[in-house]
């Protein structure tokens, strides 16, 4: 009887609004993180009922993580901003009510345009634009384009770059022609992760990489994860977890290079000779020995026993030995590398990293043997080197003062065994594309540039990572001219910014911030410093989803659309950001509004077009959009034209895929997809471009930076400007006070993106059930030593006296000298009631100044030495345990 | 008659909680009610320690304690093996919540919303879906399975009629299908010696089983 009743229930359910057969599916692209996975959204009566992965797309293959599905609750969160707001309280401060007053869009745009017009006429550099890495494609394609066309070089993405990328992205650009690196999961047999979680995390092609990494794991790929914490990310899935002291990965990686080339003699000589500058002859001054006539770097032809230009046909290139060329004694770069790394013995590395020397030797040997140097594989009809080993780095390893060398040293392992961008090895995210077969567009390919070294085919900003910028007197707020390896700069909000600006004689001060979605008060470092900095700026405009800690300092707040209400024609372009690497298919989807924007929310791309018009810079903006979006004739935006955002998107799509495939076609079909070729995925085998293993251009940059730094009284630190990587300690490593005995770090949990997902009510519910996210995690033995029990309130105190509180979670899977907190928890804005007072705001412990930044690429140091003790909190920053 | 079951590969799972949220979106479960959720446990001691993510769901036991204890006849193991609660019969006594060894049942005391300001448009689509005063639990997305059978589709193979947590899993760690169909992926995987149920000592004979890491007892 009850079975019949259940059947009756089902029959009724089939007619419900939420039933399987109701509604329409619309294809789009997720933006709950910068991973850009393809989605399908089901809409019933104008309401979003479900979000799933789009199984027609290689970007996610129909799968979707927690964040992606939870977007429904970001769309319908009653805390969203729905109307333009104007501040009525002139007093700004933490906890001070701005006194928001609702205004019309017209009034808001009038106020903003009037202010911007004045700044544009007076000194455009007084405008300081911001964007968020969560909307990375929008940041590149719209916000940065607008910034350039306004005529200001001052751009900031909050903690983006400063934490995760000044080393990682720049070095990946210089060595793999891409934004990030990932194992070639299809073929890799042995991978070493250094503070990275590709395939087990949010971000860069997250859903596809999770499938690929799981396939590889099931197939038996060995995963070694070097990380201070083992309870999440790649470490939780590792075959072997190698706990390490934060910020010391460089010493470990150099020691492994030493073991490989000096103790074991394992290296890929052919690869080093022809795909790197290992054979370039280096003189006693540490620089290339150049042909006097052509200026080209010379190599030694071992057969002819004479020097040749690096690009001349030669019998065999010498990697070792001493030569005399043009009266100068010189040696191949590889010989210098061999000699340089000798001082980094595994025993020395053990002292620094606390990783046992025997483990270092074993892992290096396993890696070298698994590389199968000399082996070949046929893919797509091409016989290619087969190197099924990979090392990758990311935020954990690179987020320190020694950011640049950490990336160089870790990546060098790939180059020593010839595994860079070869089958089974370490791939850049899609740096080479020959275009759709019907149009051959979009096309981009890495090529050999100055001195034969690699130049990217496509990049995230107009300036390619190599050749590097010419060091010069700084005229930007971030002083980037003096730090040519920096992508982003802490001086945009640092405690010593005024001091630095006075030193270099910055001829202006910022007068306005125009921000799309970045919350620097939570994302950079301690909030006190950032607040002091932004409080000085008289006019702040923010387009946001929620009122937050930063909007408390804004003068105008604009109601932004979330990704479900937004149009973007290039959400996965350039593919170096988030398109899955490896063989398979290309995908170019569009992001489209699945419902009309709710209330008065407005797409910031449209707002920028309107502002450009009102300020009178539309022609500049169109020119930049043509350049950054790759819009070619006959679809180029005309200087005197007047375009809606839909028209801009339509022209970009037609320019790439032909007259028939404009916006309407894409709205209907969702995406275009075509097969990848081996010449694209394994492009390195098909080009003469070489990667640096001897970084001569760091040395020469340093020679130019030093006099500029000296002239302006800025410290120049020579040990960061050498052509071969060195281990340089973090500030935290030099703290001698025994009371401060633990390293504090934060980690990026797979459930969250930057700070904004903390307000998502479903993700909060899941985080509350998680044993780690809202807690301060420390090793069980450390806790016992300090009298801390599971669930106790504890205080973390930095050497500078900064304090945060939280509840302890005891774990075996964390280094006993380390404390870890999930990043960007601990909101305090009353306007985010879900996020408020959950977890611990770790960044409050981080100093933001030159001392705590890399002297070569300005990456911030994200570890801090701490004193930890049980403490009843003055201002609890956490929640009761679920 | 099929006998539905699921296998979760703990080696593939990356602990993203995508299953939990996919279930939320598919079934609009109320605040605090998670038919599908992510547990985890640490195994080993430092430095040979790791955290294993353990996605949880109703085990749809062959010998369900919840059915045995239900005084109202509301809980029933259907012929296809799915354990359901009939809200018209459930008296909200919570005996089953206590009896379930897996914590898979939730007493939905009174109607709640996620936000104090009221139901979102999304929540309004699900009016009448869950009855306050009754016990709620996972039903393997029965509405999808029934729809599939009506349309001649195969749950476990055809995406739109397979449980939401399965089709969305970013690591492809979940498999669903008819345990009695020797051709099905779940039947083939289930025959492996390394597949195990949670809490075998309870003798509930779960139709959700696990592979990959061995867990603590």
């Amino acid at each position: 009887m009850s079975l019949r009743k259940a059947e009756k229930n089902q029959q009724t359910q089939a007619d419900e609004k939420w039933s399987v057969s109701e509604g329409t599916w619309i294809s789009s692209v997720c933006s709950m993180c910068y991973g850009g996975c393809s989605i399908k959204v089901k809409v019933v009566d104008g309401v979003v009922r479900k979000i799933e992965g789009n199984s027609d797309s290689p970007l996610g293959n129909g799968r979707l993580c927690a964040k992606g599905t939870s977007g429904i609750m970001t769309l319908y969160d009653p805390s969203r901003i729905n109307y333009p707001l104007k501040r009525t309280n002139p007093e700004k401060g933490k906890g001070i009510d701005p006194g928001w007053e609702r205004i019309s869009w017209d009034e808001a745009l009038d106020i903003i345009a009037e202010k911007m017009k004045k700044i544009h006429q007076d000194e455009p550099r007084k405008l300081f634009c911001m964007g968020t890495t969560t909307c990375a494609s929008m940041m590149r394609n719209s916000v940065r384009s607008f910034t350039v066309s306004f005529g200001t070089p001052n751009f900031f993405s909050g903690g983006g770059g400063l934490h995760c990328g000044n080393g990682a992205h720049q070095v990946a650009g210089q060595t793999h022609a891409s934004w990030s690196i990932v194992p070639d999961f299809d073929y890799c047999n042995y991978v070493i992760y250094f503070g990275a979680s590709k395939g087990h995390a949010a971000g860069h092609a997250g859903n596809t990489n999770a499938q690929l990494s799981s396939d590889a794991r099931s197939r038996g790929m060995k995963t070694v994860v070097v990380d201070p914490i083992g309870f999440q990310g790649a470490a939780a899935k590792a075959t072997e977890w190698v706990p390490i002291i934060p910020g010391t990965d460089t010493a470990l990686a150099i020691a492994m290079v030493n073991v490989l080339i000096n103790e074991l003699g394992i290296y890929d000589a052919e690869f080093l000779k022809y795909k790197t500058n290992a054979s370039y002859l280096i003189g006693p001054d540490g620089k290339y020995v150049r042909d006097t006539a052509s200026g080209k770097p010379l190599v030694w032809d071992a057969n002819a026993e004479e020097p040749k230009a690096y690009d001349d046909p030669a019998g065999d290139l010498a990697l070792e030995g001493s030569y005399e060329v043009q009266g100068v004694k010189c040696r191949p770069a590889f010989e210098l590398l061999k000699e340089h790394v000798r001082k980094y013995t595994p025993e020395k590395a053990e002292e620094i990293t606390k990783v046992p020397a025997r483990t270092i030797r074993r892992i290096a040997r396993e890696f070298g043997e698994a590389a199968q140097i000399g082996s070949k594989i046929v893919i797509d009809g091409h016989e290619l080197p087969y190197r099924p080993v990979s090392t990758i780095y990311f935020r954990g390893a690179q987020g320190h003062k020694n950011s640049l060398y950490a990336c160089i040293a870790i990546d060098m392992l790939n180059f020593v065994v010839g595994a860079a961008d070869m089958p089974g090895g370490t791939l850049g995210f899609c740096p080479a594309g020959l275009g759709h077969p019907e149009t051959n567009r979009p096309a981009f390919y890495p090529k050999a540039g100055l001195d034969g070294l690699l130049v990217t085919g496509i990049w995230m900003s107009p300036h390619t990572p190599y050749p590097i910028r010419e060091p010069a007197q700084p005229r930007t707020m971030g002083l980037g001219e003096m730090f040519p390896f920096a992508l982003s700069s802490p001086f945009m909000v640092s405690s010593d910014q005024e001091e630095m600006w006075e030193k270099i004689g910055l001829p202006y001060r910022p007068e306005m911030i125009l921000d799309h979605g970045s919350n620097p008060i939570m994302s950079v470092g301690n909030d006190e410093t950032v607040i002091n900095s932004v409080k000085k700026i008289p006019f702040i405009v923010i387009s946001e989803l929620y009122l937050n800690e930063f909007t408390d300092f804004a003068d105008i707040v604009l109601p932004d659309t979330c990704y479900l209400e937004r149009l973007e024609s290039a959400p996965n372009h350039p593919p170096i950001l988030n398109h899955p690497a490896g063989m398979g298919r290309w995908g170019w989807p569009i992001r489209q509004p699945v419902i009309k924007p709710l209330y008065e929310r407005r797409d910031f791309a449209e707002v920028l077009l309107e502002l450009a018009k009102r300020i009178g810079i539309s022609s500049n903006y169109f020119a930049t959009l043509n350049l950054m979006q790759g819009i070619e004739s006959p679809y180029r935006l005309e200087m005197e034209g007047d375009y809606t955002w839909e028209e801009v998107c339509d022209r970009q799509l037609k320019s790439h895929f032909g007259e028939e495939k404009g916006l309407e076609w894409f709205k209907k079909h969702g995406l275009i997809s075509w097969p990848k070729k081996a010449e694209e995925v394994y492009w390195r085998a098909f080009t003469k471009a070489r990667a640096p293993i001897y970084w001569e251009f760091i040395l020469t940059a340093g020679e130019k930076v030093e006099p500029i730094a000296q002239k302006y009284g800025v410290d120049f630190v020579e040990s960061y400007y050498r052509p071969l990587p060195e281990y340089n300690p973090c500030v935290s490593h030099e703290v001698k006070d025994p009371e401060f005995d633990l390293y504090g770090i934060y980690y990026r949990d797979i459930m969250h993106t930057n700070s904004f997902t903390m307000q998502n009510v479903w993700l909060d519910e899941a985080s509350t059930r998680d044993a780690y996210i809202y807690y301060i995690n420390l090793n069980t033995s450390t806790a016992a030593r300090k009298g801390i029990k599971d669930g106790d309130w504890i205080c973390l105190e930095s050497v500078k006296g900064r304090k945060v509180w939280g509840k302890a979670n005891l774990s075996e899977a964390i280094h006993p000298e380390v404390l870890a907190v999930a990043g960007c928890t601990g909101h305090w804005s009353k306007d985010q009631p879900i996020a408020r007072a959950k977890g611990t705001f770790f960044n409050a412990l981080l100093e933001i100044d030159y001392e705590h930044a890399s002297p070569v690429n300005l990456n911030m140091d994200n570890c801090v030495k701490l004193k930890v003790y049980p403490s009843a909190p003055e201002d609890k920053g956490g929640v009761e345990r679920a | 008659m099929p006998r539905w079951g699921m296998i979760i590969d703990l080696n593939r799972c990356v602990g993203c909680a995508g299953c939990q949220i996919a279930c939320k979106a598919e079934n609009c479960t109320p605040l605090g009610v998670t038919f599908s959720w992510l547990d985890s446990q640490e195994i080993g001691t430092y430095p040979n320690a790791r955290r294993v993510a353990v996605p949880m769901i109703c085990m749809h036991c062959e010998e369900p304690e919840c059915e045995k204890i239900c005084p109202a006849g509301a809980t029933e193991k259907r012929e296809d093996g799915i354990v359901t609660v009939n809200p018209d019969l459930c008296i909200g006594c919570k005996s089953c919540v206590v009896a379930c060894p897996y914590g898979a049942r939730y007493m939905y005391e009174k109607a709640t919303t996620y936000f104090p300001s009221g139901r979102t448009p999304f929540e309004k689509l699900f009016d009448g879906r869950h009855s306050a005063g009754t016990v709620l639990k996972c039903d393997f997305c029965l509405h999808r399975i029934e729809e599939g059978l009506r349309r001649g589709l195969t749950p476990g193979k055809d995406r739109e009629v397979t449980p939401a947590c399965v089709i969305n899993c970013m690591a492809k760690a979940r498999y669903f299908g008819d345990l009695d169909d020797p051709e099905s992926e779940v039947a083939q995987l289930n025959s492996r010696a390394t597949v195990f149920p949670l809490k075998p000592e309870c003798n509930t004979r779960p139709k959700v089983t696990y592979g990959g890491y061995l867990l603590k007892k």
Side-chain angles (χ1 to χ4, degrees), chain A residues 113-320:
Chain A
E114 191 195 349
K115 183 78 188 170
M116 291 183 83
K117 238 177 166 168
K118 274 190 194 147
I119 291 176
H120 192 252
Q121 281 158 7
D122 167 30
E123 165 59 271
R125 294 180 294 185
K126 290 180 176 174
L127 175 69
F128 163 12
C129 291
M130 288 189 190
T132 171
T133 57
T134 306
C135 305
S137 55
M138 175 134 179
M139 181 165 86
R140 176 192 188 266
N141 297 325
S142 291
V143 187
R144 290 207 75 158
S145 297
F146 181 88
T147 310
V148 170
S149 33
F150 190 85
T152 177
N154 295 317
F155 185 83
F156 191 46
S157 50
L162 284 178
H163 287 222
C164 63
N166 276 12
H169 300 317
Q170 195 80 338
V171 170
Q174 287 154 347
T175 58
H176 297 271
S178 187
W179 193 245
S180 286
I181 54 176
V182 67
D184 185 11
F185 288 116
D186 285 337
Y187 297 103
C188 187
N189 292 334
Y190 191 103
V191 60
I192 309 175
Y193 283 67
F194 287 81
S197 269
K198 296 275 185 290
H200 319 76
H204 316 288
N207 282 285
T208 305
N209 279 340
Q211 289 150 49
L212 292 171
S213 78
S214 295
D215 286 347
R217 212 161 42 243
S218 300
R219 179 171 55 78
M221 178 182 78
K222 181 167 181 180
T223 311
V224 177
V225 180
V226 178
D227 202 302
I229 57 176
F231 59 73
Q232 67 99 44
K237 306 307 296 181
T239 326
E240 180 175 357
W241 168 45
V242 179
I244 189 169
I245 295 291
T248 64
D249 306 63
T250 320
L252 176 61
I254 305 177
M256 287 175 64
V257 171
N258 183 18
V259 172
L260 280 170
I261 62 181
N262 287 318
E263 294 188 10
L264 301 171
I266 296 178
Y267 55 89
D268 187 338
E270 283 299 294
F271 185 93
L272 287 165
K273 284 174 191 173
Y274 300 106
K275 298 296 177 190
T276 77
N277 66 355
S279 56
Y280 287 19
L281 295 170
I282 309 298
D285 57 357
K287 295 187 198 159
Y288 298 146
V289 177
R290 293 174 183 275
D291 180 65
T292 37
S294 67
K296 288 180 179 175
L298 294 172
V299 294
W300 188 261
D301 184 334
N303 287 358
E305 293 192 10
E306 62 183 22
K308 294 219 167 120
Y310 72 86
D311 55 353
D312 278 353
D316 187 25
L317 304 186
L319 288 177
E320 295 175 63

Side-chain angles (χ1 to χ4, degrees), chain A residues 541-587:
Chain A
V541 177
I542 303 176
S543 176
E544 254 297 357
L545 300 179
Y546 304 105
L547 293 174
N548 62 24
E549 293 75 11
F550 188 33
T551 60
D552 278 354
F553 295 85
D555 296 276
I556 302 279
V557 171
L558 302 175
D560 196 13
T561 51
C562 78
Y563 67 106
L564 296 168
E565 310 162 285
R566 171 180 300 160
L567 177 69
E568 276 185 74
S569 49
N572 299 94
H573 192 73
I576 56 170
L577 173 71
N578 60 16
H579 195 293
M583 294 298 286
R585 295 182 72 81
W586 290 102

